[in-house]
């Protein structure tokens, strides 16, 4: 079993819908990252959080350290949000080693 | 200005050859990483260097040798390429480990072994 599990694996939505992607992890972490990988292949860091909630535009990320769970929400989804969203954790120990989930492929249809 | 740049973007070569991928960052970061993304799009850490010193070396065949001439560069040399080496390789950088800074990724190098 992977140390970082994401669900769902694939998600199709209509433009305007509210999207939630979930991430659970089983190791001690110093931080959790949400990354976005566009069809062109580049990877962008969306959020890094160790507690609570962060918001950037239409994207919201939350984390519950006790439950070892994080969610990424997208409000008013748009076709340009179509991408693979990857959850990753910085494993405690100081080396900032990232362990990745398998990603959630999001397709937003117009 | 590209923050983390990798070259080449695409690399097609024959089995058994030796090849290198270069990575440079202009963000002033102390730590650089190499990741491998397999055909199922799963990312995995290969190496990490902090200020030219190797700090992470996952279970990677010793045909893969990272080289960090200075803290802004981390190159990846691969000897005797095998079919299973076909993947996308991403370079990334961040500030010192333990400071919980986000990592900045290059655009990836797609390696295809014929």
């Amino acid at each position: 079993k992977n140390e970082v599990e994401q669900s769902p694996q694939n998600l199709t939505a209509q433009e305007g819908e509210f999207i939630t992607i979930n991430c659970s992890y089983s190791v001690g972490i110093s931080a959790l990252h949400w990354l976005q990988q566009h069809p062109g292949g580049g990877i962008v860091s969306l959020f890094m959080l160790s507690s609570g909630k962060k918001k950037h535009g239409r994207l919201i990320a939350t984390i519950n350290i006790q439950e070892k769970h994080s969610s990424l929400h997208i409000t008013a989804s748009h076709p340009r949000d179509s991408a693979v969203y990857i959850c990753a954790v910085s494993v405690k120990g100081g080396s900032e080693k990232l362990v990745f989930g398998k990603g959630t492929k999001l397709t937003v249809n117009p | 200005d590209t923050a983390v740049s990798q070259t080449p973007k695409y690399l097609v070569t024959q089995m058994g050859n030796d090849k290198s991928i270069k990575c440079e960052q202009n963000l002033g970061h102390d730590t650089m990483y190499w990741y491998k993304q397999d055909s199922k799009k799963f990312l995995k850490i290969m190496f990490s260097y902090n200020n030219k010193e190797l700090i992470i070396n996952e279970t990677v065949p010793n045909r893969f040798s990272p080289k960090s001439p200075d803290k802004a560069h981390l190159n990846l040399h691969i000897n005797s390429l095998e079919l299973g080496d076909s993947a996308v390789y991403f370079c990334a950088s961040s500030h010192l480990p333990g400071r919980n800074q986000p990592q900045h990724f290059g655009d990836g190098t797609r390696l295809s072994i014929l």
Side-chain angles (χ1 to χ4, degrees), chain A residues 2 30-31 33 35 37 41-43 45 48 86 90 94-98 100-102, chain B residues 33 35 37 42-45 55-56 58 90 97-103 105-107:
Chain A
N2 204 29
S30 52
H33 306 250
L35 309 169
Q37 185 171 26
I43 298 174
S45 177
M48 189 184 72
I86 303 169
S90 294
S95 65
E96 286 257 339
K97 167 182 162 179
L98 283 187
F100 297 85
K102 293 190 176 179
Chain B
Y33 311 82
Y35 295 97
Q37 187 173 44
F42 186 49
L43 275 157
K44 204 163 180 186
I45 181 84
I55 55 171
I56 295 175
E58 289 295 291
F90 285 94
R99 284 176 58 177
N100 271 329
Q101 297 289 321
Q103 294 188 15
F105 288 80
D107 289 337

Side-chain angles (χ1 to χ4, degrees), chain B residues 22-40:
Chain B
K22 294 187 175 182
C23 180
E24 176 182 2
Q25 54 94 6
N26 62 5
L27 296 165
H29 288 162
D30 305 288
T31 308
M32 296 184 73
Y33 311 82
W34 276 111
Y35 295 97
K36 180 180 180 181
Q37 187 173 44
D38 62 24
S39 56
K40 294 183 180 175

Side-chain angles (χ1 to χ4, degrees), chain B residues 2-111:
Chain B
T2 306
V4 180
S5 59
Q6 295 179 228
T7 54
K9 195 171 171 65
Y10 299 96
L11 188 48
V12 181
T13 190
Q14 302 260 344
M15 217 165 50
N17 284 349
D18 303 339
K19 289 292 176 189
S20 291
I21 307 171
K22 294 187 175 182
C23 180
E24 176 182 2
Q25 54 94 6
N26 62 5
L27 296 165
H29 288 162
D30 305 288
T31 308
M32 296 184 73
Y33 311 82
W34 276 111
Y35 295 97
K36 180 180 180 181
Q37 187 173 44
D38 62 24
S39 56
K40 294 183 180 175
K41 304 286 189 182
F42 186 49
L43 275 157
K44 204 163 180 186
I45 181 84
M46 297 174 71
F47 300 103
S48 173
Y49 268 72
N50 174 243
N51 210 8
K52 302 194 295 173
E53 186 183 332
L54 181 67
I55 55 171
I56 295 175
N57 184 353
E58 289 295 291
T59 312
V60 178
N62 57 16
R63 297 182 294 104
F64 289 78
S65 51
K67 291 278 191 303
S68 182
D70 54 62
K71 72 176 193 176
H73 295 84
L74 181 62
N75 304 322
L76 183 65
H77 189 76
I78 316 169
N79 288 329
S80 304
L81 281 156
E82 299 178 358
L83 288 174
D85 298 332
S86 294
V88 182
Y89 293 85
F90 285 94
C91 176
S93 70
S94 71
H95 283 295
L96 277 169
R99 284 176 58 177
N100 271 329
Q101 297 289 321
Q103 294 188 15
H104 295 253
F105 288 80
D107 289 337
T109 295
R110 185 175 294 275
L111 174 62

